[in-house]
């Protein structure tokens, strides 16, 4: 048996890459030092894989920001507006990733989207009519060479042609068919060049192949790969799929001259059936994803051995590996010294997964695997239940009826009541909740957590911050204020820490986008709220101002989607448990005089099944009710907001309405307000706040540009239900840019308001 890895986390076990890149952004280190840090990390990651005997170790999976952007840059897909800045290669790369505002010009970043149904974000490549597609970068070759110099033979990995074209945005008249020849040539050149360098394998990541494919898609797949593979090269080609099964194109994949096919047997519910029905060619290698790359639980060897044995009945040459890149799990459990062993022995992060692969390989090669020590240890660990159920929580969920999911009266009636009650101006301005988590905030929280700052001092600090933030929001003239979320390290972690059933790592960081990392909580047991969570902060802020203060909560679906869920309960049951806990918080806030409550569902879209046919049955049928369960108990006067991230909503607008919130704010500015058109076309009923500027970039929008955005929204959906807000929370931004941007936003709203009235 041999083992293979699709991709390894790149930020570093102690987030070294994040810190180095951020220092580079602040001008504290130069490109040389940044590159040195990167090289050290790559070397450490290759060696970790080598130490576990991984036979196929990837290279090129490292990235300064994002691997899709890397592939775009490799093929010269750098839009004119970034070229025009005249920056060097690295600076141009970062300008595409995060925008640029400086002496050379002022451009926004490329649009950012969720990488399939994960919480990783990629940058959307743009293909302009003028694009000259050819090899323009050397990263993929350099990193292969770098590994070889360390004595490690790697398999260079890049986004495959099909997925690249599916994810890219065509900004002019050209479409995939017009540039297919150029793309083919460019990929062939990569193969040829790697062949000359002596590479044995190359990996094309093609996760788009697990989505619903049309006949045209399938034709495109064949039209791309037949010529790419027919060129003269000595490299073997692996087409690597993950996040599901390839039921729409399995036969086509088999018919193309790939040397290896990577299939996901963890999330790909039909992968095994495909093998059983259609077999697998003798002359190809099957790379079987059998260890979850998405979750952190220990692999159950008995099950995996059974799966591999079944796979081997159909495929002669099998290599095992994780189901997807290990990018989506943290580095190593060995850094988790605070959690008791009773917990940590159930976890497998990236390093532990390498070890699991090594053990599985040994077991698969053993004549008597069940007699092996590794097998017995695994059996013993996983025998019996991991934790006891909370009977009261189980009973509460079991007793839910249709009424618990229905808010009365209906939206139009509530709208009139709330209008009267809140007396907000037209085009009310607000924010999404968080304000900059400046170094002082992070430092004192870290010190408090280490026990170096007493509770009382920490509390005083937070409450002072809230007071200051409320005062400044009032001063710049926002209409609906927030307390600023200074007490929260992260919108999910904070709530998880206040609820029973979650456990936390100290170092379980996972890259979300660029240098931004998150530390997903682990849902260990049944979830229950044992005390109010946000009431004190909200009530304090509310007492400081006559303007309404919006309470801020994280919704159940987002809590679930941004955690590592337990796998011994269905997601629906977990979501309802969390919903009941948050529901109690909503009712407490209301009872304390908070009239507007925002329940963030930033990640609702994220776990939509990749195939449309599964959307309802496997997800929305419980996810939307979970949200409704949270707020169905409030009075008509109480205005429920929600907030959603990502730029694509057009395909689920009715489901978003079915959440039955009174107002919904959206992240939209990075996709040029396509969303507004969707809202218009669908006759969207609730209040809507499409973000008027992008908060993922330090760029300060000017008043004119904001007015133009607002006018465009007014023209599309009318002023009556329109809210004006940034597109997401401001926690990652600096103070100066935040207040300047908000000032511009409030002014722009006021001027458009005056135009409407005049
Ligand atoms: N209320 C959260 C914040 O402002 C929402 C964050 C998010 O949507 N990701 O930070
Ligand atoms: Zn958001």
């Amino acid at each position: 048996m041999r083992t293979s890895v699709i991709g390894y986390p790149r930020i570093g076990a102690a987030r070294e890459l994040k810190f180095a890149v951020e220092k580079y952004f602040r001008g504290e280190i130069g490109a040389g030092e940044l590159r040195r840090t990167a090289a050290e990390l790559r070397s450490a990651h290759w060696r970790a894989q080598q130490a576990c005997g991984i036979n196929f170790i990837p290279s090129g999976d490292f990235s300064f920001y994002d691997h899709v952007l890397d592939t775009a840059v490799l093929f010269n897909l750098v839009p004119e507006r970034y070229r025009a800045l005249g920056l060097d290669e690295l600076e141009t790369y970062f300008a595409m990733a995060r925008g640029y505002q400086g002496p050379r010009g002022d451009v926004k970043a490329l649009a950012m989207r969720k990488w399939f149904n994960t919480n990783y974000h990629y940058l959307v490549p743009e293909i302009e009519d003028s694009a000259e597609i050819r090899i323009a970068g050397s990263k993929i070759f350099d990193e292969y060479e770098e590994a070889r110099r360390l004595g490690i033979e790697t398999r260079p990995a890049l986004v495959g042609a099909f997925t690249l074209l599916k994810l890219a945005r065509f900004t002019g008249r050209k479409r995939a068919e017009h540039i297919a020849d150029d793309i083919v040539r460019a990929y062939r050149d990569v193969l040829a060049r790697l062949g000359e360098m002596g590479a044995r394998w190359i990996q094309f990541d093609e996760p788009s192949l697990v989505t619903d494919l049309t006949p045209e898609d399938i034709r495109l797949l064949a039209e791309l790969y037949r010529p790419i593979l027919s060129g003269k090269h000595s490299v073997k080609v692996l087409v690597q799929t993950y996040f599901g099964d390839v039921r729409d194109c399995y036969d086509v994949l088999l018919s193309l001259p790939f040397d290896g096919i990577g299939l996901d047997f963890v999330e790909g519910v039909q992968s095994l059936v495909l093998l059983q029905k259609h077999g697998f060619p003798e002359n190809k290698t099957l790379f079987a994803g059998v260890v979850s790359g998405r979750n952190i639980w220990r692999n159950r060897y008995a099950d995996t051995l059974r799966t591999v044995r079944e796979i081997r009945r159909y495929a002669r040459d099998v290599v095992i590996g994780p189901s997807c890149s290990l990018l989506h799990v943290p580095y190593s459990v060995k850094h988790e010294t605070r959690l008791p062993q009773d917990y940590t022995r159930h976890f497998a992060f990236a390093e532990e997964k390498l070890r699991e692969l090594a053990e599985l390989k040994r077991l698969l090669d053993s004549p008597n695997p069940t007699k092996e020590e590794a097998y017995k240890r695994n059996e013993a660990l996983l025998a019996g239940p991991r934790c006891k159920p909370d009977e009261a929580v189980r009973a509460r969920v079991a007793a839910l009826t249709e009424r618990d999911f229905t808010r009365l009266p209906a939206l139009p009636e509530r709208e009139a009541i709330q209008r009267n009650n809140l007396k907000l101006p037209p085009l009310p301005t607000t924010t999404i909740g968080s304000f900059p988590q400046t170094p002082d905030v992070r430092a004192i929280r870290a010190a408090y957590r280490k026990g170096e700052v007493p509770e009382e001092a920490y509390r005083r600090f937070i409450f002072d911050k809230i007071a200051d933030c409320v005062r400044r929001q009032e001063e710049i003239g926002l209409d609906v204020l927030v307390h600023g979320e200074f007490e929260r390290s992260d919108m999910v972690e904070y709530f998880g820490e206040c609820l029973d059933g979650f456990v936390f790592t100290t170092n379980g960081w996972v890259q979300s986008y660029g240098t931004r990392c998150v530390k997903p909580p682990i849902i260990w047991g049944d979830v229950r709220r044992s005390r109010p969570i946000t009431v004190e902060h909200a009530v304090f802020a509310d007492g400081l101002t006559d303007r309404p203060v919006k309470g801020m909560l994280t919704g159940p679906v987002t809590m679930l989607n941004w955690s590592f869920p337990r796998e011994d309960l269905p997601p629906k049951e977990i979501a309802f448990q969390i919903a009941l806990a948050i529901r109690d918080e909503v009712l407490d806030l209301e009872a304390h005089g908070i009239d507007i409550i925002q329940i963030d569902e930033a990640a609702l879209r994220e776990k939509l099944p990749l195939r449309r046919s599964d959307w309802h049955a496997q997800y929305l049928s419980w996810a939307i009710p979970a949200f409704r369960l949270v707020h169905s108990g409030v009075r008509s006067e109480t205005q429920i907001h929600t907030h959603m991230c990502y730029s694509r909503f057009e395909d689920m607008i009715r489901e978003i309405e079915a959440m039955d919130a009174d107002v919904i704010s959206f992240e939209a500015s990075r996709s040029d307000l396509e969303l507004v058109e969707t809202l218009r076309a669908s006759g969207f009923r609730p209040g809507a706040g499409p973000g008027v500027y992008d908060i993922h970039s330090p760029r300060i929008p000017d008043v004119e540009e904001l007015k133009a955005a607002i006018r465009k929204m007014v023209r599309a959906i009318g002023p009556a239900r329109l809210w004006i807000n940034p597109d997401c929370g401001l926690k990652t931004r600096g103070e100066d840019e935040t207040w300047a941007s908000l000032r511009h936003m409030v002014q722009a709203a006021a001027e458009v308001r005056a135009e409407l009235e005049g």
Side-chain angles (χ1 to χ4, degrees):
M1 183 49 69
R2 284 165 302 159
T3 52
S4 163
V5 165
I6 299 172
Y8 205 67
R10 40 178 100 120
I11 49 168
R15 288 180 293 158
E16 294 88 339
L17 183 64
K18 167 197 172 70
F19 296 120
V21 172
E22 287 175 352
K23 271 191 193 149
Y24 172 79
F25 290 160
R26 292 193 298 265
E28 292 164 23
I29 61 170
E33 190 172 340
L34 176 61
R35 289 189 192 280
R36 263 191 304 282
T37 304
E40 279 161 22
L41 289 170
R42 286 192 292 264
S43 146
H45 302 158
W46 286 324
R47 286 192 202 288
Q49 295 174 71
Q50 189 184 39
C52 287
I54 302 298
N55 302 88
F56 295 88
I57 298 175
S59 58
D61 56 332
F62 171 85
S63 179
F64 277 124
Y65 209 94
D66 165 43
H67 56 270
V68 181
L69 179 60
D70 293 338
T71 305
V73 168
L74 167 68
F75 292 128
N76 205 27
L77 295 172
V78 179
E80 279 306 328
R81 62 184 185 282
Y82 301 105
R83 285 180 199 281
L85 298 170
L87 300 165
D88 70 18
E89 206 184 311
L90 189 62
E91 285 287 303
T92 305
Y93 175 85
F94 284 130
M96 292 167 77
R98 22 175 351 243
Y100 175 91
Q101 198 168 37
R104 306 282 188 110
D106 182 359
V107 284
K108 293 188 197 171
L110 290 176
M112 197 161 70
R113 274 193 191 159
K114 299 264 171 188
W115 178 241
F116 299 85
N117 54 358
T118 74
N119 183 26
Y120 176 83
H121 304 62
Y122 69 94
L123 289 150
V124 181
E126 283 180 22
I127 304 182
E128 299 178 321
D129 284 350
S130 60
E132 221 188 281
I133 299 165
R134 58 178 168 81
I135 298 182
S138 61
K139 175 180 180 293
I140 188 94
F141 311 110
D142 297 345
E143 289 175 12
Y144 172 73
E145 193 53 44
E146 183 180 304
R148 195 161 44 190
R149 260 184 270 118
L150 297 169
I152 301 171
E153 175 64 24
T154 57
R155 180 179 65 200
L158 71 162
V159 178
F162 180 77
T163 297
L164 181 66
L165 289 183
K166 293 312 281 181
L167 301 185
R169 193 154 111 188
F170 291 86
T171 59
R173 294 238 184 82
K174 288 192 179 164
R175 293 294 171 263
E177 62 270 23
H178 304 120
I179 58 153
D181 288 347
D182 298 341
I183 285 282
V184 164
R185 199 168 320 113
Y187 274 90
R188 278 172 71 149
D189 290 346
V190 172
L191 282 178
R193 193 127 140 218
L194 283 171
E196 281 160 26
M197 294 173 72
R200 291 180 211 145
W201 279 87
I202 185 169
Q203 167 187 327
F204 290 134
D205 281 24
E206 290 287 11
S208 284
L209 296 180
V210 310
T211 62
D212 291 321
L213 301 179
T214 62
E216 294 79 65
D217 289 332
I218 295 171
R219 206 169 316 127
L220 177 65
L221 170 68
E223 279 170 13
L224 289 168
Y225 275 109
R226 204 155 277 131
I228 289 176
L229 299 172
S230 71
K232 256 178 81 124
H233 61 263
S234 51
V235 193
K236 292 190 171 186
V237 178
L238 162 64
V239 59
Q240 180 66 60
T241 69
Y242 40 83
F243 301 149
D245 60 64
V246 293
R247 68 188 79 153
D248 295 342
C249 63
Y250 184 65
D251 47 345
V252 180
L253 282 183
L254 296 193
S255 73
L256 289 166
F258 290 111
D259 304 284
I261 299 181
L263 302 178
D264 175 351
F265 289 87
V266 176
E267 289 192 276
V269 288
Q270 288 196 19
S271 294
L272 206 49
V273 180
L274 290 171
L275 274 191
Q276 290 160 342
K277 267 207 196 133
H278 307 276
F280 193 83
E282 288 256 319
N283 60 348
K284 293 189 200 294
T285 306
L286 174 57
F287 290 79
V290 291
V291 169
S292 171
R294 294 283 290 274
N295 212 343
I296 49 82
W297 304 102
R298 289 296 311 269
N299 184 272
R300 193 180 284 275
Y301 290 169
D303 292 351
T304 304
L305 295 183
R306 201 173 315 118
T307 305
V308 176
R309 230 171 277 135
E310 183 64 15
I311 294 171
R312 276 175 149 175
R313 290 181 51 197
Y314 303 92
R316 202 180 45 83
D317 191 28
V318 179
V319 178
I320 57 165
S323 60
C324 60
S325 167
L326 297 175
L327 175 68
H328 308 291
V329 292
Y331 266 78
S332 170
V333 180
K334 75 171 180 257
H335 305 298
E336 301 306 325
T337 46
R338 268 212 241 145
L339 269 177
Q341 277 256 319
D342 284 349
Y343 293 100
T344 54
R345 62 203 175 96
H346 285 278
F347 303 158
F349 298 171
E351 258 182 44
E352 290 73 26
K353 286 182 195 288
L354 296 180
R355 243 167 285 140
E356 288 188 334
L357 287 175
E359 288 190 345
L360 283 165
K361 165 158 122 175
R362 224 172 330 112
L363 295 176
L364 284 160
D365 284 337
S366 160
N368 227 329
T370 55
K371 296 271 148 45
E372 302 273 343
E373 213 28 60
Y375 184 90
K376 286 194 228 156
R377 250 184 291 124
N378 186 262
E379 281 283 274
L381 173 71
L382 300 175
R386 198 170 30 74
C387 57
K388 275 209 303 295
D390 180 329
E391 296 303 345
V393 168
R394 298 280 172 110
R396 202 173 162 200
V397 171
L400 290 171
T401 66
E402 198 42 47
R403 286 226 323 264
D404 298 302
F405 298 94
T406 316
R407 183 176 177 194
L408 292 171
L411 181 74
E413 200 175 320
R414 286 173 351 227
E415 190 178 73
I417 297 170
Q418 290 164 16
R419 206 174 282 265
N420 249 323
N421 185 39
L422 293 166
K423 303 216 162 38
L424 293 167
L427 307 183
T429 54
T430 190
T431 61
I432 305 304
S434 61
F435 270 78
Q437 297 247 330
T438 42
D440 56 328
V441 180
R442 281 197 296 264
I444 193 164
R445 183 169 37 244
Y448 167 65
R449 289 199 162 179
K450 280 193 214 130
E452 293 162 11
V453 166
E455 160 110 39
E456 201 33 50
Y458 178 64
R459 273 176 57 91
R460 207 165 335 110
F461 176 87
I462 294 292
F463 281 88
D464 286 350
K465 274 292 211 191
I466 295 174
D468 186 55
C469 185
V470 169
R471 186 183 54 72
R472 291 182 77 171
Q473 290 175 72
E474 220 172 15
E475 186 185 292
I476 67 165
L478 284 158
D479 298 305
V480 172
L481 314 191
V482 296
H483 78 284
E485 302 182 20
F486 301 104
E487 75 288 2
R488 305 181 189 177
S489 50
D490 172 273
M491 62 187 287
V492 169
E493 182 179 65
Y494 182 74
F495 285 90
E497 277 176 343
C498 299
L499 296 170
D500 300 341
F502 287 81
V503 298
F504 293 85
T505 62
T506 35
N507 207 41
W509 296 101
V510 178
Q511 186 179 19
S512 171
Y513 65 88
T515 63
R516 174 132 174 81
C517 302
V518 294
K519 197 151 55 75
I522 294 164
I523 303 180
W524 176 267
D526 290 338
V527 176
R528 158 205 292 267
R529 186 191 81 142
S530 39
R531 61 187 162 85
I533 303 171
T534 64
V535 173
E536 228 191 332
H537 297 122
V539 168
F540 174 73
D542 196 42
L544 298 171
T545 172
D546 293 334
R547 303 195 177 203
V549 167
K550 180 160 71 161
M552 280 295 151
L553 304 174
T554 302
V557 186
T558 297
M559 293 282 294
L560 173 62
N561 288 354
W562 279 349
S563 299
F564 289 117
R566 59 194 293 190
E567 288 178 346
D568 57 345
L569 269 193
K572 168 181 173 174
E573 176 96 12
I574 309 175
F576 285 5
Q577 289 184 2
I578 305 173
L580 286 170
I582 305 291
R583 177 186 172 98
D584 294 346
E585 185 71 15
V586 165
L587 294 174
D588 268 346
L589 283 172
E590 180 182 63
H592 283 84
I594 305 297
D595 290 336
I596 305 184
I597 302 171
Q598 178 173 312
I599 305 154
D600 290 326
E601 283 293 16
L604 186 95
R605 196 179 204 289
E606 182 173 304
K607 289 278 158 67
L608 260 186
L610 294 176
R611 290 178 188 278
R612 210 170 171 134
S613 46
D614 295 338
W615 277 18
H616 201 81
Q618 297 194 8
Y619 183 71
L620 293 168
S621 60
W622 54 263
I624 303 294
F627 183 84
R628 295 164 65 120
L629 178 56
V630 175
H631 70 87
S632 63
V634 299
R635 299 177 304 145
S636 309
E637 287 79 2
T638 302
Q639 191 170 67
I640 297 294
H641 290 217
T642 188
H643 165 73
M644 304 182 73
C645 292
Y646 350 97
S647 9
R648 293 190 59 229
F649 300 102
E650 66 276 12
D651 47 6
M652 59 174 304
I653 212 78
R654 292 279 94 91
E655 281 83 4
I656 296 173
E657 276 186 335
M659 293 164 78
D660 203 21
D662 300 300
V663 179
I664 305 184
S665 63
F666 297 93
E667 183 245 282
S669 62
R670 264 200 181 195
S671 51
D672 288 319
L673 303 172
E674 272 162 31
L675 165 78
V676 182
E677 179 43 34
T678 305
L679 297 178
R680 186 200 62 74
S682 67
F684 193 66
R685 191 56 186 71
V692 293
Y693 74 89
D694 174 18
I695 64 88
H696 303 88
S697 137
R699 202 180 154 267
I700 299 170
D702 64 36
V703 177
E704 283 314 311
E705 138 186 17
L706 291 166
K707 272 163 70 181
I710 297 172
R711 285 198 200 104
K712 189 166 163 188
M713 293 177 190
V714 170
R715 271 199 303 277
I717 57 173
R721 299 193 183 92
L722 182 61
W723 285 68
I724 308 300
N725 45 258
D727 72 350
C728 196
L730 300 161
K731 62 183 285 192
T732 56
R733 294 274 58 88
E735 288 269 356
D736 294 348
E737 72 219 31
T738 294
W739 292 106
S741 301
L742 289 178
R743 226 179 258 281
H744 290 175
M745 185 187 85
V746 171
Q747 191 185 332
E751 291 181 20
V752 178
R753 210 179 270 160
E755 288 169 12
L756 292 173
E757 281 157 7

